[in-house]
Amino acid sequence: MVVDVRAIARAAPLVAPVTRRGKPLSVRMTSAGALGWITDQRGYRYGPEHPKGVPWPPIPASILAVWQAVVPDARPPESCLVNWYGPGARMGLHQDRDEADFAQPVVSISLGDDALFRIGNRDKGGSTQSLWLRSGDVVVMAGEARLRHHGVDRIVPGTSTLLDAPGRINLTLRVVT
Ligand SMILES: O=C(O)CCC(=O)C(=O)O
Ligand SMILES: [Mn+2]
């Protein structure tokens, strides 16, 4: 799967995203599939092309197989977001809510270093729970959990030997339309 992710990043290089206000995010991103996730000063959205103007590469079979195994009744995923977390990277609490059909699950795969994942509630605020995501772990956000706030507080560099440098790859698969 890592070999396949490297091929995605060759066809559609990792982008250092910035928020609408021009603030850089610590995670670097690219995508595979019909629709990729774009974060730039025009906002957040799904789009059919990498910022350099090429279509996103197809989602590799090795990644589709995980979706098939864990959510066999769902529609096929249209988007595979590749998040690259270097040693200091994190992702703030957010909901995944830019998809049209919340009855479809979100599946995320962790590769490389351990990450401290936090999950809260559908509404903002309230208590949260933290759990470690380790290389090979798969999270399914479906049903009641589909719209819960979640994020990554930190990774622990050097906890996995899977990748040749410290860091973490997260693959997030979604049905968009
Ligand atoms: O890195 C993770 O485990 C979560 C990623 C995530 O929530 C997202 O890309 O929307
Ligand atoms: Mn998310």
Side-chain angles (χ1 to χ4, degrees):
M1 195 178 284
V2 173
V3 169
D4 290 342
V5 174
R6 290 204 177 107
I8 295 172
R10 274 198 303 277
L14 287 164
V15 175
V18 291
T19 64
R20 208 190 272 278
R21 292 177 176 182
K23 192 175 166 255
L25 299 188
S26 54
V27 172
R28 293 200 288 156
M29 296 177 174
T30 188
S31 289
L35 292 165
W37 181 246
I38 300 161
T39 298
D40 63 17
Q41 285 186 272
R42 286 165 49 207
Y44 305 119
R45 63 196 177 279
Y46 287 100
E49 286 183 346
H50 185 276
K52 72 174 191 179
V54 295
W56 304 104
I59 303 175
S62 61
I63 299 174
L64 289 174
V66 173
W67 179 273
Q68 257 308 312
V70 298
V71 290
D73 298 328
R75 287 166 53 200
E78 297 166 310
S79 182
C80 174
L81 172 63
V82 178
N83 290 310
W84 165 253
Y85 293 76
R90 57 186 302 281
M91 189 178 289
L93 274 184
H94 66 278
Q95 288 173 298
D96 286 15
R97 56 173 311 142
D98 291 274
E99 301 75 35
D101 184 358
F102 297 140
Q104 298 300 316
V106 172
V107 171
S108 105
I109 303 168
S110 294
L111 297 170
D113 287 335
D114 296 355
L116 189 56
F117 183 79
R118 185 193 291 262
I119 184 153
N121 308 295
R122 183 176 169 145
D123 296 325
K124 259 205 164 104
S127 62
T128 63
Q129 278 183 289
S130 293
L131 58 143
W132 288 103
L133 295 184
R134 299 202 158 86
S135 193
D137 283 349
V138 176
V139 174
V140 179
M141 295 184 70
E144 181 272 324
R146 175 65 180 77
L147 286 171
R148 283 194 185 223
H149 286 77
H150 58 279
V152 171
D153 289 340
R154 60 189 168 91
I155 72 160
V156 186
T159 40
S160 166
T161 55
L162 181 69
L163 309 174
D164 26 67
R168 170 176 183 259
I169 296 168
N170 166 263
L171 304 171
T172 291
L173 293 155
R174 305 190 188 99
V175 177
V176 176
T177 61

